[in-house]
Amino acid sequence: MIETLREVCGDDEEEFLRVRALLEVERNHNSSTRRAGLYDALEKVLMKHGFEDEEDALAFARFRRGEPDKEQGALF
């Protein structure tokens, strides 16, 4: 399965790591009758692997805090 995932992701190592981690979360919760913590675990993976670079992560953090984008500046 890992070989197929590598083939699908190509040279994008970050995509490979993100998908592999998401599949691992799904596998861990698959056999549970009650999937408590599934969404938290998925969110944790996406937060860890969901950004292109540090600036992308900082822009998202500023957005969540309601701060204006550095490049856009204030609207008024």
Side-chain angles (χ1 to χ4, degrees):
M1 184 165 116
I2 294 295
E3 294 80 22
T4 303
L5 182 58
R6 283 222 178 262
E7 184 179 318
V8 169
C9 293
D11 293 333
D12 191 343
E13 184 68 15
E14 191 60 34
E15 182 70 7
F16 169 77
L17 293 173
R18 180 178 23 258
V19 173
R20 186 183 73 176
L22 289 169
L23 289 170
E24 179 69 16
V25 167
E26 193 280 331
R27 186 183 67 79
N28 288 338
H29 287 83
N30 189 29
S31 60
S32 301
T33 56
R34 186 169 167 262
R35 293 180 169 210
L38 173 63
Y39 291 126
D40 290 336
L42 290 172
E43 184 176 13
K44 185 177 178 182
V45 169
L46 292 174
M47 293 300 288
K48 180 178 180 182
H49 295 284
F51 303 106
E52 300 262 337
D53 54 25
E54 182 179 358
E55 185 56 37
D56 189 28
L58 290 172
F60 179 73
R62 286 190 291 269
F63 169 77
R64 287 190 62 163
R65 288 190 301 248
E67 297 175 11
D69 189 2
K70 284 170 97 177
E71 294 176 4
Q72 286 181 334
L75 293 176
F76 301 100

